[in-house]
Amino acid sequence: MLDVLTQLGGGFLAVLQPVNLAALLVGLVLGLLVAVLPGLTLVMGVVLALPFTYKLGITPALVLLTAMYVTGTYGGAFTAILFRIPGEPIDVPLLWDGYEMARNGEPAKALGWTLFAALAGGLVAAVVMVALSAPVARLALTFSTPEYFALVLFGLASVVCLGGGSLLNAFISLLIGLLIATVGVDGTYGTDRFSFGFTTLRDGIEYLGVMVGAYGLGEVLSRLERGFTSPALERIGRIETRLPTAGEIGAVKGTLARSSLLGIVIGIVPGAGATIASFLSYGFEAQYGRRRKDMGAGIPEGIVAPQAAATASVGGAIIPLLTLGIPGSGATAIMLAAFMLHGIQPGPQVFVSQPGLVYAIFAAVFLSLIGMVLIGYFAIKALVKVLSLREAAVSAFVVMFCFIGALAQRNNIGDLWTIVAFGGLGYVFDKLQFPIAPMVLGAILGPLAESYFLTTMIGAQNDWTVFFTRPVSLALILLSVTTVAVPLRRLWQRQA
Amino acid sequence: MQTIGRSAPFAVLLCAAVYLFTLTWQLDFPRAPDRLGPDVWPQAILVLLMMACALGIGRSLLAGRGPALTSPQAREEATLQAGRGVPEAPGAPSRYGLVAMGVLLFLAYPLALEYLGFLIGTFLLMALLMLVGQWRNLPGVLAVSAVGTLGLFYTFRGLVYVSLPLGTGPFQAATLWVAGLLGMR
């Protein structure tokens, strides 16, 4: 325990270094901005920021992305509560009680509750993250390739099943992502696969191009289809935040505890991020909470439940990313990509080889929560001003960030074609209601899955039962099967 | 007709998967009987993809009811799944012409970068995209494009040291002249 605290102290000192602190501040502001702007989602914002972290060291890069991730779960609450415009899907449940409380004449109080819930939920999750990560990493160090393959399989199964929407479409999206990852010269045999004679394809398709194109350009095309529109804002007089009193906080402590726990658990499960945490937590409170009958009428529980769970999911999602190398959410998938761009494979080995980096990320979560509260409290008026920006102008900048991001990677204009192609694919996916996240995760985790699978099979002389004879591997495979079977069963029941 | 439309994406994917599967037979690598080759992993993915597409086609043909989102709740759910913050306004018309123009602009940009350079190419892309996106205030569009282009150029060439394309001939000279004005080498 003392060792963990000492390392965490070292992490705080590392983040307080000028370069890292500057990265933290930039990340805080960017995270709040992307969360406030309805045209930009948290994941899209983190994707757009990723290419610009090449030139930074690994620590400031991850500090920046972590800060964006933490604040991105909170910033949209302002616009949801004040203008009934959810900046993020995460913030939709805040429309039901947060906006209602504001309409009842208490916007400052509603903003105070979100700020409190985000801070409290985030801090609880951050403490759990620090306490759990080292033991989980120690356990993961005993894993071999069959367990890792089973783990990646579980991650991919969760992404397909927990993302919502059509299971079949999500599965196809995942398979397309895995297929994209096979393009180019394979690492084991040096065999050229699906490059069709193009030199660019022989090097493989960079997952960064897949992410930036599908999330960035694809989203801009989808919005362009309706013509860029800007939201009509109500006139709000004084914008301020009034924090709840100790007595008021005491009355919602049960809700806070339940929501934080739910957020952490959902964050840990691969594929389920802040949005699912926010919705599930609100639903849980509406079904089992003490004041369930008043939910929707503008009560604090209806604000605390989704906001605490959404911010708590950040700490939860970072645990599997750092300890197992499996991203628990869309934003942590981008963080995984940031690690890999700097030549580091997250997983238990990172705790041995780069403990300073791990604890700097932990410290960044704590400091981001504090910074988020300060900016949220004092700069709220300036933040909501960005809503008056024209969507056409914001989209033009998003497109430029996508193109410059792709250029910055290798200074190769050819890479721009990749993001344009995946931008088109992202738009088509949107039209056909195929989710993008499974494809992106498939493109990122595909090479790992293939490598673990082939290494295991070679080691076991092609005996595939090896995946079922090792207890951890078997448990993970059963978990994957359950993850797929439960929603399938529900689907059949609904159809029957 | 609707059934065909619904099953068309699955059919196209199925054909592509079958074609790619045949390509895996032609992969060139030293084959050993007791060792899996580089063809096994893509083959496994493609078989699963073919099965999933066949299921999708079967479902479209048998179900007879599509995923058409008519209720506001269904539209909101779809919006959330797509990861957007704001549900679309009900009945907002789709303007595929705008999308086609957007795609054309994206395709033209890499070409423009090579010949016109970053400054002129970016200014044109930003201005045209905003105009295509129905922002009709021409002075506003031009001002945002000009300030945005110069801001991006200064930030990424001057501060982050990204090697942005300069263009060719007179365009290169113009880019270097602006760079000089901004105090960049």
Side-chain angles (χ1 to χ4, degrees):
Chain A
M1 189 64 198
L2 192 65
D3 180 45
V4 169
L5 288 176
T6 310
Q7 301 226 54
L8 186 61
F12 275 103
L13 288 177
V15 179
L16 292 172
Q17 298 288 317
V19 177
N20 298 336
L21 193 60
L24 184 90
L25 290 174
V26 171
L28 288 173
V29 175
L30 288 180
L32 285 169
L33 286 178
V34 297
V36 167
L37 282 167
L40 281 173
T41 62
L42 164 62
V43 177
M44 194 171 153
V46 180
V47 166
L48 292 179
L50 177 65
F52 306 107
T53 62
Y54 297 147
K55 309 270 174 175
L56 299 172
I58 177 78
T59 307
L62 283 162
V63 166
L64 189 147
L65 298 177
T66 305
M68 279 189 82
Y69 186 18
V70 171
T71 53
T73 61
Y74 164 66
F78 305 144
T79 53
I81 287 171
L82 294 175
F83 305 108
R84 207 172 182 272
I85 300 168
E88 294 280 330
I90 303 164
D91 305 308
V92 171
L94 284 175
L95 298 176
W96 302 325
D97 276 273
Y99 181 68
E100 239 0 82
M101 190 182 274
R103 260 185 27 155
N104 295 342
E106 292 194 289
K109 197 77 193 175
L111 290 171
W113 276 115
T114 48
L115 191 136
F116 160 75
L119 177 68
L123 282 178
V124 170
V127 170
V128 172
M129 169 187 75
V130 173
L132 272 188
S133 292
V136 174
R138 269 197 297 277
L139 175 73
L141 276 172
T142 62
F143 290 180
S144 189
T145 50
E147 284 81 18
Y148 275 114
F149 175 73
L151 202 59
V152 172
L153 193 70
F154 173 56
L156 297 175
S158 311
V159 170
V160 168
C161 298
L162 296 174
S166 161
L167 274 181
L168 184 68
N169 289 5
F171 184 54
I172 290 176
S173 171
L174 171 71
L175 292 172
I176 291 173
L178 290 172
L179 205 58
I180 288 166
T182 64
V183 173
V185 176
D186 101 281
T188 314
Y189 291 85
T191 305
D192 194 351
R193 296 188 296 199
F194 309 131
S195 67
F196 303 100
F198 290 103
T199 318
T200 318
L201 289 181
R202 276 179 62 85
D203 295 337
I205 296 174
E206 289 285 336
Y207 48 81
L208 192 84
V210 180
M211 286 192 295
V212 172
Y215 277 119
L217 296 188
E219 179 66 23
V220 169
L221 287 175
S222 295
R223 300 189 83 86
L224 184 60
E225 187 188 318
R226 311 276 170 194
F228 295 133
T229 50
S230 296
L233 303 182
E234 292 173 34
R235 272 187 75 83
I236 299 274
R238 226 171 131 211
I239 299 175
E240 59 172 7
T241 303
R242 201 166 75 243
L243 291 169
T245 62
E248 289 171 328
I249 290 171
V252 299
K253 61 179 185 295
T255 304
L256 180 67
R258 277 191 296 275
S259 313
S260 303
L261 192 67
L262 201 64
I264 295 166
V265 172
I266 291 170
I268 290 173
V269 176
T275 304
I276 291 176
S278 169
F279 274 86
L280 272 186
S281 182
Y282 187 92
F284 193 84
E285 206 56 31
Q287 228 168 347
Y288 305 107
R290 196 166 48 85
R291 296 182 66 189
R292 55 184 174 275
K293 285 184 181 154
D294 299 324
M295 291 288 277
I299 61 170
E301 285 85 345
I303 300 173
V304 171
Q307 185 61 69
T311 312
S313 71
V314 174
I318 288 177
I319 298 173
L321 171 74
L322 291 180
T323 59
L324 306 169
I326 303 291
S329 65
T332 44
I334 319 302
M335 288 171 72
L336 174 78
F339 268 104
M340 289 158 86
L341 283 172
H342 285 86
I344 298 172
Q345 175 62 50
Q349 286 297 341
V350 179
F351 279 76
V352 181
S353 60
Q354 307 250 9
L357 174 62
V358 169
Y359 283 91
I361 294 170
F362 289 164
V365 174
F366 283 98
L367 291 171
S368 298
L369 288 166
I370 295 165
M372 172 189 85
V373 168
L374 293 176
I375 297 176
Y377 190 84
F378 292 108
I380 180 169
K381 207 161 183 177
L383 278 171
V384 295
K385 279 236 163 78
V386 299
L387 269 186
S388 54
L389 293 174
R390 300 286 309 195
E391 193 187 332
V394 174
S395 298
F397 277 98
V398 167
V399 169
M400 287 324 305
F401 279 112
C402 291
F403 279 125
I404 299 173
L407 257 183
Q409 195 184 4
R410 295 190 294 192
N411 289 327
N412 180 2
I413 290 182
D415 288 340
L416 303 189
W417 298 111
T418 309
I419 68 159
V420 172
F422 281 100
L425 191 65
Y427 170 74
V428 173
F429 266 40
D430 185 50
K431 290 301 292 174
L432 300 175
Q433 293 163 29
F434 280 63
I436 292 171
M439 177 180 72
V440 169
L441 233 66
I444 294 176
L445 294 178
L448 278 181
E450 182 180 5
S451 154
Y452 291 142
F453 176 72
L454 283 181
T455 313
T456 305
M457 293 301 278
I458 289 167
Q461 278 87 43
N462 288 348
D463 177 12
W464 55 268
T465 58
V466 67
F467 294 109
F468 301 95
T469 52
R470 299 171 68 100
V472 176
S473 168
L474 176 67
L476 285 165
I477 287 175
L478 287 177
L479 210 57
S480 308
V481 172
T482 313
T483 310
V484 177
V486 169
L488 273 181
R489 190 166 161 257
R490 212 175 299 142
L491 194 72
W492 278 323
Q493 279 175 341
R494 217 184 312 160
Q495 282 177 346
Chain B
M1 197 65 190
Q2 265 191 335
T3 310
I4 293 171
R6 273 196 301 270
S7 54
F10 298 110
V12 170
L13 270 174
L14 178 63
C15 293
V18 170
Y19 170 65
L20 290 174
F21 193 87
T22 59
L23 289 185
T24 62
W25 292 332
Q26 298 157 24
L27 291 181
D28 184 25
F29 64 95
R31 290 170 199 273
D34 55 342
R35 213 172 160 191
L36 298 179
D39 53 343
V40 171
W41 183 252
Q43 278 174 349
I45 296 168
L46 287 164
V47 167
L48 287 172
L49 186 58
M50 285 187 254
M51 285 163 62
C53 290
L55 189 65
I57 293 169
R59 203 179 58 172
S60 305
L61 294 176
L62 289 176
R65 56 191 162 89
L69 300 171
T70 46
S71 73
Q73 194 185 4
R75 252 199 311 272
E76 185 160 310
E77 270 177 25
T79 304
L80 295 174
Q81 284 155 23
R84 290 201 208 105
V86 186
E88 307 292 359
S94 293
R95 290 187 256 185
Y96 296 112
L98 297 184
V99 179
M101 282 192 272
V103 172
L104 280 178
L105 286 176
F106 294 165
L107 287 172
Y109 184 64
L111 294 173
L113 273 186
E114 282 196 62
Y115 297 102
L116 304 178
F118 180 82
L119 273 179
I120 301 169
T122 300
F123 174 79
L124 288 175
L125 175 68
M126 288 185 79
L128 291 173
L129 188 65
M130 283 187 269
L131 288 171
V132 167
Q134 311 290 295
W135 192 16
R136 296 288 179 237
N137 177 356
L138 193 61
V141 166
L142 294 177
V144 170
S145 306
V147 173
T149 302
L150 288 174
L152 291 169
F153 186 63
Y154 184 77
T155 307
F156 291 104
R157 188 179 153 89
L159 302 178
V160 189
Y161 301 118
V162 175
S163 173
L164 298 172
L166 299 173
T168 54
F171 302 113
Q172 186 181 39
T175 307
L176 290 172
W177 180 71
V178 176
L181 284 181
L182 292 171
M184 292 184 281
R185 276 182 297 151

